[in-house]
């Protein structure tokens, strides 16, 4: 793959490993909890399951998610460094380029919107770091949260199993990346520290 005219090695030593680490087990998706959400009249009494798609079709939920994601996307993104005990914005650093143009398919505004929407509706946002040959992050991609599974080894190391999707078609059908190459922004973790809970799917 190429980014900004430079070769990018997605599956090389800067991206992680292709096979599942020995002893790694998948983190349970719901921890045995069940969802109660009256997403339509009588849904709770009818034991009708609430999916992200059904909840997002609720006009109140859609309005809230749109408003929150749009407002947060308007905020500036800056690379900060700590100097003499204070945080200061860094200019002219090549590492900050990815904040202006996160990836090949999105502008910064769209990238942040997708980040926030994923966290609000799914409880988790997974961002894949795309590195160049020097290990510098040149691209950031918000992954489909339904295609990412956190893994934990017997030693406590964290990995993420990623299934290919419409955007990351250059990945194998199932690829495992170390936590170093994934930004995992999660909501309230009510039953496992690696599984966030959606703000709109009430878990009881």
């Amino acid at each position: 793959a190429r980014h900004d005219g430079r070769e990018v090695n997605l599956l090389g030593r800067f991206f992680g490993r292709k096979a599942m680490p020995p002893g790694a087990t998948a983190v349970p998706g719901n921890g045995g909890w069940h969802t109660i959400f009256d997403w339509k009249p009588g849904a709770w009494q009818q034991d009708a399951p609430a999916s992200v798609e059904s909840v997002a079709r609720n006009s109140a939920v859609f309005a809230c998610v749109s408003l929150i994601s749009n407002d947060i996307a308007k905020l500036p993104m800056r690379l900060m460094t700590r100097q003499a005990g204070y945080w200061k914005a860094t200019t002219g650093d090549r590492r900050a380029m990815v904040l202006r143009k996160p990836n090949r398919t999105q502008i910064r505004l769209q990238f942040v919107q997708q980040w926030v929407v994923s966290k609000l509706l799914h409880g988790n946002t997974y961002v894949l770091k795309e590195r160049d040959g020097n290990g510098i992050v040149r691209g950031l991609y918000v992954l489909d949260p339904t295609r990412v599974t956190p893994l934990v080894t017997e030693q406590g190391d964290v990995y993420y199993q990623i299934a290919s999707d419409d955007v990351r078609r250059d990945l194998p059908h199932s690829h495992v990346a170390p936590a170093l190459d994934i930004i995992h922004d999660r909501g309230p973790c009510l039953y496992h520290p690696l599984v966030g809970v959606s703000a709109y799917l009430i878990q009881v």
Side-chain angles (χ1 to χ4, degrees), residues 70-80 89 96 99-100 108-109 111-112:
N70 288 337
D71 283 350
I72 293 180
K74 297 174 185 176
L75 299 175
M77 297 174 62
R78 294 180 295 181
L79 178 66
M80 308 292 290
L99 301 181
R100 295 191 294 269
R108 183 193 62 81
L109 184 71
F111 171 78
V112 177

Side-chain angles (χ1 to χ4, degrees), residues 2-175:
R2 299 185 66 87
H3 185 60
D4 293 335
R6 303 186 63 174
E7 289 291 339
V8 177
N9 181 10
L10 281 179
L11 304 180
R13 63 188 181 93
F14 293 108
F15 184 72
R17 43 196 312 164
K18 298 180 182 180
M20 184 178 296
T25 58
V27 172
N30 59 12
W33 293 32
H34 62 280
T35 300
I36 294 180
F37 190 83
D38 210 18
W39 58 275
K40 69 176 182 178
W44 179 36
Q45 292 83 353
Q46 299 168 12
D47 196 25
S51 65
V52 172
E53 291 75 15
S54 62
V55 171
R57 285 197 293 268
N58 183 291
S59 59
V61 173
F62 180 83
C64 290
V65 171
S66 298
L67 181 62
I68 294 171
S69 60
N70 288 337
D71 283 350
I72 293 180
K74 297 174 185 176
L75 299 175
M77 297 174 62
R78 294 180 295 181
L79 178 66
M80 308 292 290
T81 56
R82 192 171 180 84
Q83 300 178 5
Y86 296 93
W87 289 101
K88 183 178 180 181
T90 301
T91 58
D93 193 311
R94 61 177 182 170
R95 294 174 297 177
M97 294 176 56
V98 72
L99 301 181
R100 295 191 294 269
K101 177 64 176 175
N103 54 62
R104 296 183 291 272
T105 60
Q106 294 175 312
I107 61 175
R108 183 193 62 81
L109 184 71
Q110 296 167 332
F111 171 78
V112 177
Q113 285 176 332
Q114 187 182 2
W115 180 314
V116 177
V117 168
S118 178
K119 184 176 181 180
L120 291 177
L121 292 181
H122 295 272
N124 298 273
T125 296
Y126 304 97
V127 180
L128 171 66
K129 300 176 186 178
E130 183 182 65
R131 302 178 186 270
D132 62 14
N134 297 318
I136 303 298
V137 177
R138 295 300 187 188
L140 296 170
Y141 294 86
V142 178
L143 300 173
D144 182 348
T146 65
R147 297 172 181 259
V148 181
T149 303
L151 306 172
V152 180
T153 67
E154 296 176 351
Q155 293 74 30
D157 297 324
V158 177
Y159 293 84
Y160 293 88
Q161 187 173 23
I162 308 168
S164 59
D165 55 32
D166 292 338
V167 176
R168 307 295 329 137
R169 291 182 177 179
D170 48 356
L171 293 177
H173 176 67
S174 182
H175 185 82

